[in-house]
Amino acid sequence: MTKKWWQDAVIYQVYPRSFQDSNEDGIGDLKGIIQRLDYLEKLGITGLWISPVYASPNDDNGYDISDYQEIQPEYGTMEDMDELLDEAKKRNIKVIMDLVVNHTSDEHRWFTEAKKSKENRYRDYYIWRDKPNELTSDFGGSAWEYDEVTQQYYLHIHSKKQPDLNWENPKLRQEIWQMMTFWLDKGVGGFRMDVIDLIGKEPENLITKNGPMLHPYLREMNEQSFGQYDVVTVGETWGATPEIAKEYSHPARQELSMVFQFEHINLDKIQGQRKWDLKTLNPAELHQVFSKWQVELGNEGWNSLFWNNHDLPRIVSRWGDDGEYRVESAKMLAIYLHGMKGTPYIYQGEEIGMTNYPITEISEVDDIESRRMYEERLHQGYAKESLIKSINAKGRDNARHPMQWGNELHGGFTKGTPWLPVHKNSHTINVENALADSNSIFYTYQKLIALRKENSILVEGDYQQIETGNPVVLAYLRTEQSTKWLTIVNFSKESQYFQLNQKYAVQEIVISNYEPERTYLFSGKLEPFEAVTVVV
């Protein structure tokens, strides 16, 4: 594998609506991101993935695009976008656009034209049928919506305001290549491809993910657009296995740089049910899944490493401890993940240990997915309390409440009224406090990012799972020639005893979330949420 810049990169995701408001309207914007670039430079990140800022009616917070080549006015202007690209470049940060090409908004010009008649030139940009079949929407209900004017049904795997594009149409594909080239010529550093595994769908065969034409379309996309540029492309692929991930990201196939796979993300739901059907995480199972991806992908593809994104709850609340051991568990989760092979992604606020935002009533919820689930399940007879519990555990709003910058009103996010309220713990958990405390979670993330840039073992080293004799003590070894780094973590809030399967001589401590000078490692005991990486 020829080394690429994105292999030792660390990428930071910004949800623009919730990052920084510059004009006091309560909504984050592009100028707000520009204001915070010095902070991101201090953290050390290489890439900045921004969730969609294109024109949109905001049925799904921008993942319903009505014009790919215009900026949503609440976020600013194309001039602001150009300034963001320029200012980020000065700080050696590449801006990665979030791109949704499986569907558009129903307010996109292509769809408003397509609805006019069956003969319209844009009709075949979308998927129409005379009769619906049993395909269901990810947001609940049928995936087909009836159009009165032309008396046909159109497909929408997501909201009915997000009609699916017909990738079988070569004219549509050409429009998409031209649009992608527009952004590439502006200097973007790549694309995060939303639900990209859906574009090869065959609705009549009830195939939505990983359809037979998926990879031919991606190879054509590579050839016709980003393959000519030195950029990163990462696909959101909920159904991926290591074998499927190799198809996307093996360099010889010339498709994508890497994928987001979500096998670990599904480990705290009851198997075969939806994400709302909760079960307790088994750390040993989590370790097996991470280890499988580390080993089986090998050098035949590239992995992404992440705990959080705009669709997922805050990791310290989910699998750490957002109470007594918030700092220790947040650092443990960071050390465990960033020691692995792949490109790490940090979601805004993760680096300061931001927590979930609990609600008591559905009226407090903005997220369309959570609201649809609540209505659907309430109708089916579920208890309100259990539905609120599921939303507090897994709802997407948890990640979308505003970034906590300081001790002032609304956490320094806005001087106006924030579109979603700021967490009441913003007076203690914020960037200002984190930067002032040399032992904060922020500086653990900063050090982990620096270690990846400076040590090829983290980028290229082999991975081996190490047995500890304790299911909540997780360990692995990274090896590059004669250099060996051992990472060991306690994934619980109790002290834990363990026994490694061989003796290691500790040469130096690389990073730890407890006092570094302690020589506890091979005494066989770890403190609550303790984590350490050592050279052996």
Side-chain angles (χ1 to χ4, degrees):
M1 200 182 236
T2 308
K3 176 87 179 298
K4 301 283 192 180
W5 65 264
W6 38 262
Q7 289 179 291
D8 59 8
V10 177
I11 296 172
Y12 187 97
Q13 182 190 358
V14 157
Y15 195 68
R17 199 172 184 78
S18 299
F19 193 60
Q20 178 67 67
D21 172 23
S22 70
N23 61 357
E24 302 181 21
D25 66 354
I27 294 169
D29 45 48
L30 291 171
K31 284 188 180 296
I33 300 173
I34 294 166
Q35 286 174 13
R36 297 298 185 178
L37 285 174
D38 286 346
Y39 166 74
L40 297 176
E41 183 181 26
K42 181 179 179 69
L43 183 59
I45 55 129
T46 324
L48 177 61
W49 154 27
I50 57 173
S51 287
V53 290
Y54 316 96
S56 168
N58 271 331
D59 182 58
D60 189 20
N61 280 356
Y63 286 86
D64 50 319
I65 298 170
S66 55
D67 191 327
Y68 288 101
Q69 291 173 221
E70 289 292 335
I71 298 297
Q72 175 72 357
E74 65 191 6
Y75 293 138
T77 65
M78 191 61 81
E79 288 72 27
D80 296 332
M81 187 71 221
D82 292 336
E83 184 185 354
L84 173 60
L85 290 167
D86 288 343
E87 291 297 322
K89 186 176 182 181
K90 290 176 189 173
R91 295 163 176 82
N92 296 312
I93 296 172
K94 296 176 187 287
V95 176
I96 296 148
M97 299 293 283
D98 204 328
L99 190 59
V100 189
V101 290
N102 172 69
H103 51 266
T104 67
S105 165
D106 65 344
E107 297 180 35
H108 194 291
R109 181 176 60 90
W110 297 342
F111 193 70
T112 58
E113 287 291 320
K115 283 202 303 182
K116 289 180 179 176
S117 78
K118 292 179 183 177
E119 288 71 45
N120 189 281
R121 63 173 290 219
Y122 291 102
R123 183 71 173 182
D124 287 338
Y125 278 34
Y126 297 88
I127 297 169
W128 301 88
R129 295 292 184 270
D130 290 328
K131 291 183 179 177
N133 60 15
E134 57 264 50
L135 279 179
T136 57
S137 161
D138 285 352
F139 290 172
S142 172
W144 298 95
E145 183 72 12
Y146 188 63
D147 173 51
E148 293 282 355
V149 176
T150 57
Q151 299 184 339
Q152 276 191 314
Y153 294 82
Y154 66 85
L155 181 71
H156 61 93
I157 298 297
H158 297 87
S159 156
K160 68 182 180 182
K161 287 184 64 62
Q162 292 169 295
D164 282 51
L165 290 166
N166 176 21
W167 274 70
E168 292 180 9
N169 184 338
K171 289 182 181 174
L172 166 78
R173 298 201 302 276
Q174 278 304 315
E175 295 251 28
I176 289 171
W177 313 151
Q178 288 167 14
M179 174 271 293
M180 292 174 74
T181 301
F182 165 84
W183 286 105
L184 290 160
D185 286 345
K186 273 191 173 291
V188 301
F191 299 107
R192 177 263 185 185
M193 311 295 294
D194 187 68
V195 294
I196 198 65
D197 53 349
L198 302 183
I199 64 171
K201 68 180 73 66
E202 291 185 351
E204 57 281 353
N205 296 323
L206 304 181
I207 295 171
T208 53
K209 292 176 182 168
N210 299 314
M213 285 302 293
L214 170 62
H215 294 287
Y217 290 152
L218 288 175
R219 283 193 290 277
E220 184 182 342
M221 180 189 287
N222 183 311
E223 181 186 339
Q224 296 292 325
S225 63
F226 57 75
Q228 320 301 316
Y229 300 77
D230 184 19
V231 295
V232 65
T233 51
V234 53
E236 181 191 24
T237 59
W238 279 86
T241 63
E243 286 307 311
I244 291 171
K246 289 176 191 177
E247 294 184 50
Y248 286 104
S249 63
H250 194 299
R253 291 178 60 87
Q254 297 191 312
E255 294 186 22
L256 303 178
S257 309
M258 69 187 94
V259 297
F260 287 129
Q261 58 81 18
F262 294 87
E263 190 173 353
H264 64 298
I265 292 302
N266 286 318
L267 294 177
D268 58 359
K269 77 175 180 73
I270 297 169
Q271 195 165 6
Q273 297 195 41
R274 292 177 67 189
K275 76 178 191 181
W276 310 107
D277 303 303
L278 310 174
K279 76 167 190 178
T280 303
L281 176 74
N282 176 349
E285 191 179 9
L286 179 78
H287 198 41
Q288 290 296 340
V289 167
F290 270 113
S291 297
K292 176 179 80 172
W293 278 86
Q294 289 287 298
V295 172
E296 292 185 18
L297 213 50
N299 291 319
E300 297 177 77
W302 196 251
N303 207 359
S304 60
L305 303 168
F306 69 96
W307 290 125
N308 298 277
N309 64 31
H310 61 287
D311 286 335
L312 301 175
R314 293 280 178 187
I315 195 61
V316 74
S317 296
R318 185 179 191 176
W319 291 341
D321 175 8
D322 59 12
E324 181 183 1
Y325 294 110
R326 184 185 67 89
V327 171
E328 291 84 356
S329 66
K331 291 179 180 181
M332 179 277 288
L333 290 159
I335 291 167
Y336 176 74
L337 190 78
H338 283 245
M340 293 187 184
K341 185 173 185 174
T343 299
Y345 289 75
I346 300 167
Y347 181 72
Q348 63 181 49
E350 177 187 339
E351 77 283 6
I352 60 168
M354 281 177 59
T355 63
N356 279 355
Y357 187 103
I359 54 110
T360 55
E361 296 290 338
I362 193 64
S363 58
E364 300 173 69
V365 175
D366 175 80
D367 172 38
I368 183 174
E369 182 191 42
S370 298
R371 286 189 279 110
R372 291 255 170 102
M373 180 279 292
Y374 183 88
E375 291 160 15
E376 192 179 275
R377 291 195 166 190
L378 204 60
H379 186 68
Q380 292 167 2
Y382 283 74
K384 171 192 158 183
E385 292 74 22
S386 74
L387 299 178
I388 295 294
K389 181 183 176 184
S390 290
I391 290 170
N392 281 337
K394 296 282 190 74
R396 300 193 298 182
D397 280 351
N398 281 308
R400 300 176 182 185
H401 285 269
M403 182 72 176
Q404 296 165 201
W405 293 104
N407 295 302
E408 60 266 51
L409 183 67
H410 304 314
F413 164 68
T414 182
K415 290 187 171 70
T417 302
W419 76 281
L420 272 183
V422 177
H423 202 298
K424 62 185 179 184
N425 65 19
S426 66
H427 290 293
T428 51
I429 302 172
N430 61 56
V431 168
E432 188 181 331
N433 291 350
L435 294 179
D437 175 8
S438 62
N439 199 34
S440 71
I441 300 162
F442 174 91
Y443 291 109
T444 292
Y445 272 89
Q446 185 189 58
K447 185 171 182 179
L448 287 165
I449 293 168
L451 285 169
R452 182 164 293 268
K453 290 177 181 175
E454 295 159 9
N455 297 276
S456 61
I457 189 170
L458 288 175
V459 181
E460 298 169 18
D462 293 331
Y463 175 99
Q464 180 188 349
Q465 184 178 340
I466 300 296
E467 296 304 320
T468 67
N470 184 329
V472 298
V473 176
L474 316 180
Y476 59 86
L477 191 69
R478 299 293 306 278
T479 306
E480 184 186 36
Q481 297 171 344
S482 60
T483 305
K484 293 183 178 182
W485 286 17
L486 177 70
T487 296
I488 184 165
V489 308
N490 175 6
F491 218 105
S492 80
K493 58 177 155 188
E494 284 85 35
S495 297
Q496 297 289 339
Y497 290 92
F498 66 93
Q499 181 65 55
L500 298 181
N501 56 3
Q502 70 177 83
K503 289 203 179 294
Y504 293 95
V506 178
Q507 295 174 28
E508 74 177 276
I509 294 175
V510 178
I511 192 167
S512 167
N513 67 341
Y514 275 68
E515 290 300 315
E517 63 269 16
R518 286 169 44 147
T519 54
Y520 51 77
L521 181 62
F522 300 108
S523 66
K525 183 184 177 187
L526 290 178
E527 297 304 317
F529 293 111
E530 189 160 8
V532 65
T533 298
V534 291
V535 180
V536 294

